[in-house]
Amino acid sequence: MLDGTEYRIPSLRHKVSPEEWQARIDLAACYRLVDLYHMSDLIANHVSVRVPGEDAFLINAYGLLYEEITASSLMKVDYDGNILLKPDFPDQDYGVNRAGFVIHSAVHKARHDLACVAHTHTWAGMAVSTLECGLLPNTQTSMRFAKISYHDFNGVVLDLSEQERLVRDLGDNNAMILRNHGLLTVGTTIPEAFNALHRLELSCKTQIAAMSCNTPMVKVGDDIVEKTYMNYQPQVRRPFGLLDWPALLRKLDRIDPSYRT
């Protein structure tokens, strides 16, 4: 718990709709969880959510650690990069990271069926992103991503021309490995995107651990991989995050409930 050292920002609750406020709470929780599960990278990377009923999304201010993010510290941005609602930061004029805007606005503009986009630079995700073989379906968890998307590296994502290629490469998948870069997941809800991110990260860690043993790995037959992959698809199970999200929020509330402010 931060015990009085929180980065305090005036509440925006009275300036937004109840639906947006709830989205802010859930997104701030997601940032805290990404940090709690060791998937953050100082002030870099991003998780965003579409503002309900608007052509805009919420994203982190470039300058805050994930453990500092609250519902009121999130920036509201439209698809052209205009900041529609900016928190009253007490010490300096934070903005939105350019690469974060390019990546997240690309998905939000093109995929109105999706609500949340998450992107990380973890050691395991970056390691797998450099492997020619990509992510291997060598565990039950990684078989969930047996048909994961890939996006080839073309430098830091600063150019809007990259957006079309990002969306095309993602396709209908909920996860993508950005080659020589990191991981990206999407979801119709924040809990769904976080669940995919957590499991994808676990898959990458497991693969690196197994490959580091320098001994042959057990190969699972293609038919079993396909069957397992299908068991993870939306039409055969309840939405991901439905059960674990309330438990994760309870965990955060026990540690530090300031994300709700």
Side-chain angles (χ1 to χ4, degrees), residues 1-258:
M1 193 164 180
L2 295 179
D3 294 329
T5 62
E6 297 98 326
Y7 187 77
R8 296 187 182 279
I9 293 172
S11 176
L12 293 179
R13 185 169 188 170
H14 64 289
K15 294 185 177 181
V16 302
S17 68
E19 293 79 12
E20 179 178 333
W21 184 247
Q22 185 59 54
R24 285 174 170 272
I25 290 174
D26 285 331
L27 185 57
C30 190
Y31 275 102
R32 299 289 184 99
L33 289 166
V34 169
D35 186 67
L36 183 64
Y37 287 97
H38 308 293
M39 293 186 286
S40 60
D41 179 13
L42 301 181
I43 63 170
N45 298 153
H46 332 87
V47 187
S48 66
V49 68
R50 185 187 304 278
V51 178
E54 298 185 36
D55 290 332
F57 60 96
L58 304 173
I59 196 167
N60 56 320
Y62 193 42
L64 300 186
L65 296 173
Y66 281 24
E67 68 179 32
E68 297 180 304
I69 291 177
T70 65
S72 295
S73 73
L74 296 162
M75 309 281 269
K76 183 175 179 179
V77 186
D78 69 15
Y79 298 154
D80 295 318
N82 300 305
I83 297 176
L84 304 179
L85 182 57
K86 187 172 188 175
D88 184 13
F89 298 112
D91 54 357
Q92 56 182 297
D93 190 25
Y94 293 118
V96 173
N97 177 264
R98 173 68 179 178
F101 164 72
V102 172
I103 293 171
H104 290 254
S105 64
V107 179
H108 287 300
K109 278 193 298 186
R111 295 288 304 276
H112 289 268
D113 56 315
L114 299 174
C116 183
V117 182
H119 170 49
T120 60
H121 291 168
T122 62
W123 68 262
M126 288 191 291
V128 170
S129 79
T130 69
L131 300 177
E132 190 173 310
C133 64
L135 184 67
L136 300 175
N138 62 334
T139 65
Q140 175 178 290
T141 300
S142 65
M143 291 176 202
R144 171 177 170 179
F145 306 103
K147 299 181 182 179
I148 195 168
S149 298
Y150 291 89
H151 177 73
D152 289 337
F153 186 67
N154 195 38
V156 179
V157 187
L158 301 176
D159 196 328
L160 291 175
S161 63
E162 187 81 357
Q163 291 187 315
E164 184 179 348
R165 209 160 59 86
L166 277 163
V167 172
R168 182 196 68 209
D169 290 342
L170 177 62
D172 295 327
N173 274 331
N174 72 337
M176 181 162 67
I177 292 177
L178 307 174
R179 295 273 194 193
N180 309 98
H181 186 175
L183 306 178
L184 184 141
T185 64
V186 297
T188 59
T189 65
I190 293 171
E192 196 173 274
F194 177 77
N195 184 283
L197 184 66
H198 182 272
R199 295 298 195 276
L200 181 55
E201 174 71 7
L202 183 59
S203 300
C204 290
K205 285 182 175 178
T206 305
Q207 178 173 323
I208 296 301
M211 294 179 79
S212 298
C213 294
N214 196 30
T215 188
M217 289 184 285
V218 176
K219 180 171 170 39
V220 179
D222 292 344
D223 57 331
I224 300 300
V225 171
E226 176 67 19
K227 180 180 178 181
T228 306
Y229 169 79
M230 290 306 300
N231 285 335
Y232 284 111
Q233 299 314 297
Q235 66 270 21
V236 296
R237 54 166 295 120
R238 68 171 66 89
F240 286 107
L242 195 64
L243 294 180
D244 49 342
W245 192 251
L248 289 167
L249 293 186
R250 292 194 297 270
K251 182 179 183 71
L252 284 180
D253 287 337
R254 288 192 296 271
I255 297 170
D256 178 9
S258 65

